[in-house]
Amino acid sequence: MADLEGMKGNEKKDYGIGIPVKKEAYFLKGLDHYDWGIKDRMSRIFNAETGRTVMLAFDHGYLMGPTSGLERLDLAIPPLIPYADSLMCTRGALRSTVPPTANKPVCLRYSSGTTVLTELNDECILDIEEAVRMNASAIAIMVSVGGTYEAKTVENLVRTADYGYKYSIPVLGVTAVGKEMVRDARYLSTASRVCAENGATFVKTYYCDDFVKVVNSCPVPIVIAGGKKLPEKEALELCYHAINDGAAGVDMGRNVFQSDCPVAMIQAVRGIVHQNLTVDRAYQMYKDLSVQAK
Ligand code: R5P
């Protein structure tokens, strides 16, 4: 007040009005112009320090039934929860197996349909109110580019993105790769890009040779699925190469819960994703923690 009183009629004082303030960019690729709710939820799934995430995928039962390693969800999953940045699962697994007190962001499996017993990917979507009830930090939708149900699954993504953005819930586009598809950079770039352009906030796909091309041609973050069970060191190599080629994290299932020591494996994966460990150091970590776990 004293300053104002002391000002003469035409004296100019700089209050900073009109001077552009440089805004700090959001830490995830392509999401700078998204709204607050989306950014808040993505910041729960991804670690803002590293810009990466370790998502634990255990949604396999919705199409595979009680697959190996997940026969007893109640025994397999709880020990892994502390080491995951986020949980990707169905509403059935969430309600039955994950204690709400775990306080982990959930990427809810939002599409479902045919199983391994028939032709995959003929899917419908859930109700967005269910995602709100489950406090989902993201919703995951299967998209089968080039497959029999391409149009239906792309439409599912479009509707999911419409509903997701209405409530600021990010959408994970999951590229379903049919047996007839070649998992190369050309196909996975197309599938990932189709997901992003149709509204996916982030994309899950598979690692491949020339993965940099897949990452560079996708305008939003990519996480990789682990795929079929590999020997532990090879699975860690897969993570290492994916992260070095620009993946923003992993959404890994079988290579964790089918491991000889799942608790050690998820920590070794974390070492690569968040601490930039080499494959040798991460594998040593896996072996050391496996011994301790016995
Ligand atoms: C696939 O449809 C599911 O969404 C899985 O969650 C996904 O494939 C990741 O699991 P995995 O690492 O076992 O491939």
Side-chain angles (χ1 to χ4, degrees):
M1 205 55 196
D3 274 351
L4 289 174
E5 280 168 1
M7 283 169 71
K8 293 181 186 139
N10 60 355
E11 194 176 332
K12 284 191 181 158
K13 193 156 187 174
D14 181 8
Y15 289 105
I17 296 166
I19 297 175
V21 176
K22 198 168 183 307
K23 200 174 113 237
E24 200 177 310
Y26 187 62
F27 71 99
L28 290 170
K29 177 183 177 182
L31 305 188
D32 208 30
H33 303 298
Y34 281 62
D35 71 312
W36 194 93
I38 293 281
K39 287 176 174 170
D40 175 64
R41 290 184 173 91
M42 289 296 278
S43 307
R44 294 173 196 274
I45 295 170
F46 288 82
N47 181 321
E49 298 277 310
T50 63
R52 297 177 187 156
T53 185
V54 174
M55 301 173 70
L56 175 64
F58 54 101
D59 58 330
H60 305 62
Y62 94 94
L63 54 79
M64 292 181 177
T67 194
S68 172
L70 287 185
E71 297 91 341
R72 288 285 305 268
L73 280 171
D74 59 328
L75 299 181
I77 299 305
L80 301 175
I81 292 175
Y83 304 106
D85 293 314
S86 112
L87 309 174
M88 185 202 177
C89 61
T90 61
R91 57 180 174 177
L94 193 56
R95 284 197 171 94
S96 63
T97 307
V98 179
T101 48
N103 206 19
K104 286 282 171 179
V106 168
C107 178
L108 183 69
R109 161 61 67 176
Y110 193 72
S111 62
S112 186
T114 42
T115 70
V116 286
L117 301 180
T118 57
E119 192 173 356
L120 287 173
N121 302 324
D122 185 3
E123 299 202 332
C124 63
I125 58 174
L126 274 62
D127 188 327
I128 193 66
E129 289 180 3
E130 177 71 333
V132 173
R133 270 192 293 277
M134 304 304 282
N135 196 27
S137 291
I139 44 183
I141 180 96
M142 191 83 97
V143 184
S144 175
V145 173
T148 309
Y149 297 103
E150 178 182 74
K152 188 173 185 188
T153 59
V154 171
E155 186 183 348
N156 284 345
L157 168 61
V158 170
R159 294 284 82 82
T160 300
D162 288 343
Y163 287 126
Y165 291 124
K166 186 173 177 185
Y167 296 99
S168 282
I169 301 178
V171 174
L172 174 63
V174 179
T175 63
V177 184
K179 285 187 190 130
E180 65 282 10
M181 305 297 172
V182 182
R183 291 186 190 198
D184 60 12
R186 193 172 170 202
Y187 172 73
L188 295 173
S189 297
T190 303
S192 300
R193 181 66 171 263
V194 166
C195 286
E197 300 254 2
N198 280 292
T201 326
F202 59 134
V203 172
K204 174 159 93 163
T205 194
Y206 292 91
Y207 182 71
C208 62
D209 289 343
D210 289 330
F211 189 67
V212 172
K213 286 185 186 165
V214 181
V215 171
N216 286 346
S217 59
C218 183
V220 294
I222 286 188
V223 294
I224 61 143
K228 286 185 182 159
K229 172 76 173 72
L230 299 166
E232 277 75 5
K233 191 168 184 184
E234 286 177 36
L236 293 170
E237 270 166 3
L238 180 81
C239 293
Y240 179 84
H241 291 306
I243 294 296
N244 272 316
D245 287 355
V250 301
D251 184 14
M252 195 168 256
R254 287 164 286 183
N255 278 293
V256 172
F257 60 71
Q258 292 177 352
S259 165
D260 289 339
C261 187
V263 165
M265 188 60 182
I266 194 169
Q267 289 180 80
V269 170
R270 284 192 74 80
I272 287 177
V273 171
H274 288 307
Q275 297 171 298
N276 295 316
L277 292 190
T278 61
V279 174
D280 284 342
R281 287 199 59 197
Y283 186 55
Q284 189 59 50
M285 182 180 179
Y286 166 74
K287 289 194 290 188
D288 292 346
L289 291 172
S290 298
V291 172
Q292 284 174 27
K294 280 180 188 157

